Structure formats: structure tokens, C-alpha cells
Amino acid sequence: MILLKDSVFLLLNRSERQLDEVVIALVGKYTALEDAYASVLKALNHAALFCNRKLKIRFVDSTDLEENTKKEDPVKYHEAWQQLCSAHGVIVPGGFGSRGIEGKIAAIEWARKQSKPFLGICLGLQCAAIEFARHVLNYHDATSSEFDTTNHQVIIEMPEHNTGNMGGTMRLGRRTTHFVTDDSIIKKLYGNVDSIDERHRHRYEVNPRYIEEFEKAGMKFVGKSDDNQRMEILELDNHPYFVGVQYHPEYISRPLKPSAPYLGLIWAACGELKNVLMHVTKEQMATTDSTRKSSGTFSHKNLFRHT
């Protein structure tokens, strides 16, 4: 009971001290129904609370960012881009289907070129890979097999996926992701552990055929599955924070243990991530091995002094 009271007091105290605002543009296709992103919003709020920031979400319908909208409703198009461009950070969450995909890719291209903090979740990671393939690798027809058939399908369906079986062949539940390099922002945010367990819910993934080309051009896949064939985490070289994860870290985010990828996005959007990572040592980030590996999160008790 004492620990519970202490936790409640800590949350209330930090909530009352939130002064500065951080604005995050959520670019999705279900923005008319905000509850569709309930877990994502909670994870963003957990991270903002931890960073002593008042969170403001701007819901940007990805279809409003597309060229068709520019022709049919230029006012809506320019308003959507103004909402995106004036935000401090961008998140592209998960989803299914081809509608709004080009708007998501356009938003990701802008975030990449403008060095705007970006986090892609599940489909968001896949769109980031497609955008990079099109505009950096110059595979202009790059896409996902979920959307179309082209010469460069950088996103493919999983080998165990059977078309027509919507739920039974998804990659579901907690799976282990192994970090394959120490030179990783996201690994540091997780506390420099060797592996993490996070929850998955997807049918499509990055095509291993293109990994070497991606990495030579600066998109690094820093986290992989047990068999080293599934790309779980991507980061972009020479960018303040450009991260994509194939899993859904929001599912196990908690007020006192915010999700590491979400925390990184908020810190980067506040302009503090570099400073935080400079001051936090492995010992400060670490909790017990058993707690870290079972939760997929890390202890924040030594980070409060830096925020």
C-alpha cells in the first residue's frame, strides 16, 4: 500500500509540474475514430509524463497528405501538411490495407529529410522501409506485397501467412528481439540489454533480400529475431531519432515504466535525447536482469535527474 501511495504521489507531482508542451503528429488512417489508437495515445502520455511535458496530439489523416486530396480539396491538403510540419515529432502507427499509405510514406519522407523525430510502429516501420527504398535506393516502384505486385517488393508476407486466414497465421504475442549492434539509440533506451521481449501483431515484414542494400545506404536493422531473418528494429544513420519497430511496444507501456521507443520519441521531440543519452550510464539505466527481460522495459529511477 505504501508503494502504491508513493507511485500515485509521484504521478500527481509530475503531472502538476508539466509546463512545456510537446506536439506530436499522429499520421494514420483511422483518425476519425481516436479510440483506434488508444494504446498508442496512452504510451505517448506515459512518456510525456515521464519527461515532464504536456502532450498535445495532432491527428493527421494520411489520405489528406496525398496528391489526390491536393487536387480535390487543396485547403484540406495544405491544412494537413501545416499540422504535420509544425509538430515537434511524428508517429506513424500500425494498420492494415492500402488506403492512406502514400500519405504515410510522404510524411515519413518529410520527417527523414527534415531531421524530424520519427517513430514507426509495425506498418509504420514497413512504410519507412518502402520510403527509403523509393527515394534513397531509387527503387521507385518499391512497395509491399500487401498492396501491389511490383519488381521491388521490399515488404513481403510471412512464409507462414495463408491468404484468407485473417487471424490464425499472424505473428502474435511476445517474441524475443536480439540487438545485433551496440551502436544503437534504441538499445541504449532499453538499458543496453542484449535482447527484449515485446508483443507482435502483424503478417508482413521486411524482405531479407534487400537488407544489405538498406544498410549500405544508412538504414540499419539493429534488432532481429531469434533466427536473424526477421527485421524487428530499424534506425537511420545521421538522424536525431528515426526509429521503426515491427512490434507494438505500446502494449506493455505503463505510467511508471514508459515504453522505450515512445520515450525516445518524446525526448527527441523535446530536443533532450542527445543530452540524456550522454549522461546516462549503463549502471544508471539498468535494473535487475530478471526484471528487464521479463518486462521488455527498464528502470527509470535514475533518469529523473536528467529530465
Side-chain angles (χ1 to χ4, degrees):
M1 180 63 71
I2 294 177
L3 290 176
L4 178 59
K5 288 182 178 179
D6 289 345
S7 297
V8 172
F9 174 78
L10 176 61
L11 289 174
L12 290 174
N13 184 46
R14 295 184 72 79
S15 180
E16 291 173 356
R17 288 163 49 202
Q18 289 177 310
L19 298 176
D20 296 330
E21 187 176 72
V22 59
V23 181
I24 301 297
L26 187 154
V27 181
K29 61 174 72 177
Y30 315 122
T31 54
L33 184 62
E34 295 179 7
D35 283 352
Y37 299 113
S39 297
V40 171
L41 298 179
K42 287 181 179 179
L44 287 169
N45 272 290
H46 297 163
L49 179 65
F50 184 81
C51 296
N52 288 332
R53 290 298 191 278
K54 186 178 295 184
L55 178 66
K56 182 175 180 180
I57 300 291
R58 289 181 180 165
F59 292 93
V60 180
D61 191 319
S62 57
T63 59
D64 292 345
L65 301 172
E66 297 178 349
E67 288 299 313
N68 284 340
T69 302
K70 184 178 182 180
K71 296 175 183 177
E72 297 170 1
D73 193 337
V75 172
K76 180 184 287 187
Y77 172 84
H78 289 294
E79 286 179 349
W81 275 101
Q82 192 279 330
Q83 289 283 87
L84 174 68
C85 295
S86 59
H88 299 132
V90 178
I91 183 168
V92 175
F96 297 95
S98 61
R99 183 177 65 84
I101 290 299
E102 293 305 319
K104 291 186 177 188
I105 291 172
I108 293 170
E109 180 184 16
W110 176 82
R112 177 177 61 82
K113 290 182 175 180
Q114 298 299 318
S115 296
K116 185 70 67 171
F118 163 78
L119 175 62
I121 305 294
C122 196
L123 181 60
L125 172 144
Q126 296 169 15
C127 288
I130 293 171
E131 187 281 320
F132 195 84
R134 287 182 183 179
H135 303 122
V136 178
L137 300 183
N138 293 317
Y139 294 143
H140 301 298
D141 64 341
T143 190
S144 167
S145 61
E146 181 181 8
F147 312 140
D148 199 2
T149 300
T150 66
N151 290 327
H152 297 99
Q153 291 184 319
V154 296
I155 305 297
I156 56 174
E157 62 181 354
M158 302 182 307
E160 61 268 42
H161 177 210
N162 294 321
T163 302
N165 189 342
M166 295 297 287
T169 54
M170 293 181 72
R171 184 170 167 81
L172 290 169
R174 280 201 177 191
R175 306 294 177 113
T176 299
T177 294
H178 300 272
F179 288 104
V180 297
T181 177
D182 291 329
D183 184 20
S184 163
I185 290 176
I186 200 71
K187 181 179 181 181
K188 293 175 183 176
L189 287 167
Y190 272 109
N192 282 305
V193 294
D194 294 326
S195 64
I196 54 172
D197 291 334
E198 292 276 12
R199 289 173 60 184
H200 292 64
R201 187 176 182 270
H202 67 95
R203 301 186 188 95
Y204 296 86
E205 55 196 23
V206 179
N207 190 342
R209 169 185 169 186
Y210 293 95
I211 300 308
E212 184 176 353
E213 291 180 76
F214 274 123
E215 297 204 325
K216 283 183 178 179
M219 178 169 278
K220 307 297 186 183
F221 291 91
V222 301
K224 300 182 181 181
S225 61
D226 287 325
D227 61 7
N228 212 41
Q229 294 301 306
R230 302 179 192 266
M231 304 302 112
E232 298 280 10
I233 308 173
L234 67 78
E235 291 183 20
L236 195 62
D237 283 348
N238 303 314
H239 194 286
Y241 190 77
F242 191 101
V243 171
V245 295
Q246 184 60 73
Y247 49 83
H248 291 267
E250 63 271 15
Y251 289 162
I252 57 175
S253 177
R254 298 294 181 266
L256 292 177
K257 287 187 177 181
S259 163
Y262 284 86
L263 189 58
L265 174 66
I266 297 297
W267 259 330
C270 295
E272 295 183 356
L273 180 60
K274 185 176 181 180
N275 183 56
V276 168
L277 294 180
M278 282 177 59
H279 288 84
V280 177
T281 64
K282 289 184 179 181
E283 290 74 23
Q284 287 173 315
M285 293 287 286
T287 182
T288 63
D289 286 345
S290 60
T291 301
R292 286 184 315 206
K293 292 179 180 179
S294 64
S295 66
T297 57
F298 59 95
S299 172
H300 305 315
K301 64 181 180 178
N302 292 315
L303 300 182
F304 287 112
R305 70 187 70 176
H306 303 301
T307 57

